[in-house]
Amino acid sequence: MGNPPRALPSGLATALVFGASGAVLVLEIVALRLVGPYVGVTLQVSSSVIGVSLAAIAYGTWLGGRLADRYDPRTLLAPALLLGAIGTAVTLPLVRYGGEVLRGGAAPAVLLLAALAVFLPAFILSAVSPLVVKLQLSDLNRTGSVVGRLSSIGTLGAITATLATGFIFVAAMPSSWIVLTLAVLLAVAGGALWWWLRASVPVKPKVKAALITLGLVGAGLGASSPNPCDVETAYHCAAVEKDSSTPSGRTLILNSARHSYVDLNDPRHLEFEYIQWIASVADVLPPGPLDALHIGGGGFTMPAYLKDTRPGSDQLVAELDGGLVDLDKEKLGLQTGPGLRVRVGDARVAVAAQETAAYDFVVGDAFGYLVVPWHLATKEMAQDIARVTKQSGVYVQNVIDYPPNRFIRAEIATVAAAFPHVAVIAPQDALDGKSGSNFVIMASKTELPLDAVRARLATQAKEPVTVLAGASLDAFVDDARVLTDDYAPVDQLLAG
């Protein structure tokens, strides 16, 4: 029976486990950003990426253990790092070319794109830890302490990578740079380890040439793959497209969704229908300046409209993404000042910080891809909005839903739990469950000016819409459950 392979120095073993585990978590977090422009950022997408990553870790660890029992782990460590580097580099072209084919797909497409984004490198790198563990088990009496120490080191590496990626890397550089930088670091580590082990692990020239070739090809494909983003902010893959029919028109694209339309020369030009509906509500409010609160900024289309149609208005916009605000200033003509202020941060926190009965008009238009963030869709949030709305003020909320309209019915019920007067604006086909659409909820503490809104919609809206209220609205909502902080399955309701 041959001698067991010589153990690695403790420091090197620790670094390998820490680094490999950390690299897998970097890939997992960045994968969410890579797939977002094609399939959005929803609970299903996040679950797919996490599930695929865990599957890769499970199978990679199993394979690493099997290989460690059959071969000298010292001969496998450097190749694992180098193959991990190659797998990391090729995730960019795999996702960006595959994403164009799978864009907006159903659950199988989301799972496949998540697998393209993370499975291969995570699978390879997860084999490193059992290889290292096998090399350190020179004394069976210390098996527990060795396995426990290296397992904890791997977990610490994963925690460190998670925090560093979320708080530092994503804010400091684009996702493609993070991926390519990680690939380079893995390649350097694999090359250095191979050189250090050269005396005990001879390398065949053909193997070396093959790995170098694969590495160069992977790096080249990764660097040259198309990037769907003009700007990658901390929360969005953002792009601004020019309107070929209107030279001054611009469309803001966030994670592949057409989010806002801005006419640089005419703030009263409202391209999207739901914005026309919201503007119709604003137009029938009492004349003069308004105190307005906007939950979500996007392209700042509605704030610009109110600034032009209601001179002297005092507006506050709560926008989570500071990078998006910078993009709006650079490419969409946003000008902030005393009458149009921006608070960068979570909208729920921003609303909680406002004074009671401070606003005539509150606009809810915050989205994560096509979904209202769940914590902005609950009764507790609606109650806080009601608190900051004046007695005669109006709250409008934009919602997207599809047949069988489970989310919009639940959201109307939720808003009605905070406001005594509620109505909804939508195309009749959408209300009948025949098509997906935007819905705009109206709510107030006093009677809503429904007749005036209908008259204004007849002239403002490009397509006929229905204003549903009273008993007809009650019948539409039916037995929909009110969403709360304890129960708000927004993604599942929207999925139908």
Side-chain angles (χ1 to χ4, degrees):
M1 192 171 179
N3 293 325
R6 184 164 55 90
L8 296 173
S10 179
L12 177 58
T14 297
L16 286 171
V17 172
F18 185 93
S21 299
V24 172
L25 265 293
V26 171
L27 289 165
E28 180 179 339
I29 294 173
V30 176
L32 288 168
R33 303 178 64 78
L34 292 178
V35 304
Y38 307 103
V39 292
V41 182
T42 65
L43 180 62
Q44 285 80 8
V45 173
S46 301
S47 299
S48 296
V49 170
I50 293 170
V52 167
S53 300
L54 291 174
I57 293 170
Y59 285 115
T61 304
W62 171 80
L63 179 63
R66 291 292 300 269
L67 293 175
D69 287 340
R70 297 187 62 181
Y71 304 99
D72 182 353
R74 296 167 68 88
T75 65
L76 301 175
L77 281 172
L81 293 176
L82 293 172
L83 289 173
I86 295 168
T88 298
V90 300
T91 57
L92 289 177
L94 286 175
V95 171
R96 287 176 174 166
Y97 289 111
E100 295 297 334
V101 177
L102 301 170
R103 183 185 292 274
V110 172
L111 282 168
L112 179 55
L113 195 58
L116 292 176
V118 73
F119 185 86
L120 179 61
F123 172 73
I124 297 170
L125 292 170
S126 296
V128 170
S129 291
L131 295 174
V132 173
V133 168
K134 181 62 180 287
L135 286 170
Q136 304 308 103
L137 292 177
S138 56
D139 183 356
L140 292 179
N141 292 326
R142 298 182 61 250
T143 298
S145 61
V146 169
V147 173
R149 178 176 65 83
L150 291 176
S151 178
S152 68
I153 291 297
T155 302
L156 288 174
I159 294 171
T160 302
T162 300
L163 296 176
T165 305
F167 285 89
I168 301 174
F169 300 154
V170 168
M173 63 181 76
S175 297
S176 55
W177 290 18
I178 297 175
V179 171
L180 292 174
T181 300
L182 180 61
V184 169
L185 291 174
L186 289 169
V188 169
L193 183 61
W194 214 332
W195 178 85
W196 187 76
L197 294 170
R198 65 193 184 281
S200 56
V201 183
V203 182
K204 296 180 181 180
K206 290 183 178 180
V207 175
K208 184 184 295 185
L211 287 173
I212 292 174
T213 301
L214 285 173
L216 292 174
V217 170
L221 289 173
S224 62
S225 59
N227 191 337
C229 315
D230 285 345
V231 174
E232 190 174 343
T233 70
Y235 296 93
H236 297 104
C237 168
V240 175
E241 294 182 353
K242 294 183 178 181
D243 186 344
S244 58
S245 62
T246 305
S248 58
R250 302 289 185 271
T251 300
L252 175 65
I253 310 294
L254 298 181
N255 297 328
S256 79
R258 296 173 72 243
H259 192 278
S260 304
Y261 184 96
V262 175
D263 190 322
L264 300 178
N265 295 336
D266 183 9
R268 300 193 187 202
H269 176 195
L270 306 177
E271 184 73 14
F272 294 169
E273 291 184 15
Y274 83 89
I275 283 288
Q276 298 164 15
W277 308 341
I278 293 174
S280 295
V281 178
D283 290 344
V284 304
L285 296 179
L290 295 175
D291 293 319
L293 172 64
H294 301 265
I295 300 170
F300 284 70
T301 306
M302 198 62 211
Y305 179 83
L306 290 180
K307 183 178 180 181
D308 191 72
T309 60
R310 302 276 187 148
S313 293
D314 183 22
Q315 302 187 74
L316 173 64
V317 180
E319 171 55 54
L320 179 65
D321 193 344
L324 182 58
V325 176
D326 294 337
L327 179 64
D328 289 336
K329 290 179 178 179
E330 179 184 350
K331 295 191 175 184
L332 297 180
L334 173 63
Q335 294 181 347
T336 58
L340 179 53
R341 296 165 289 122
V342 178
R343 172 172 173 154
V344 175
D346 185 83
R348 183 146 177 184
V349 176
V351 171
Q354 305 308 305
E355 295 183 0
T356 299
Y359 294 99
D360 303 295
F361 194 47
V362 180
V363 180
D365 193 16
F367 281 82
Y369 189 52
L370 300 177
V371 183
V372 179
W374 74 267
H375 70 303
L376 304 183
T378 66
K379 180 180 72 173
E380 290 82 357
M381 177 63 174
Q383 288 172 335
D384 211 21
I385 292 172
R387 178 186 63 80
V388 304
T389 304
K390 294 179 181 179
Q391 184 66 23
S392 60
V394 175
Y395 170 51
V396 291
Q397 181 188 357
N398 178 31
V399 173
I400 296 175
D401 201 7
Y402 305 89
N405 292 337
R406 296 197 306 168
F407 176 46
I408 181 60
R409 294 192 299 108
E411 189 60 13
I412 293 172
T414 300
V415 174
F419 289 90
H421 301 278
V422 179
V424 65
I425 304 170
Q428 188 61 49
D429 279 353
L431 293 169
D432 292 339
K434 297 178 181 178
S435 64
S437 176
N438 291 85
F439 298 76
V440 169
I441 301 172
M442 294 185 291
S444 180
K445 301 172 187 175
T446 58
E447 291 285 346
L448 289 163
L450 297 180
D451 291 339
V453 170
R454 289 187 178 101
R456 183 59 180 162
L457 285 168
T459 60
Q460 176 83 293
K462 295 179 181 178
E463 300 293 336
V465 290
T466 298
V467 178
L468 203 63
S472 298
L473 183 64
D474 293 339
F476 174 75
V477 173
D478 196 19
D479 60 351
R481 183 171 175 177
V482 173
L483 305 178
T484 67
D485 285 351
D486 189 51
Y487 177 82
V490 171
D491 295 87
Q492 290 83 351
L493 289 173
L494 188 65

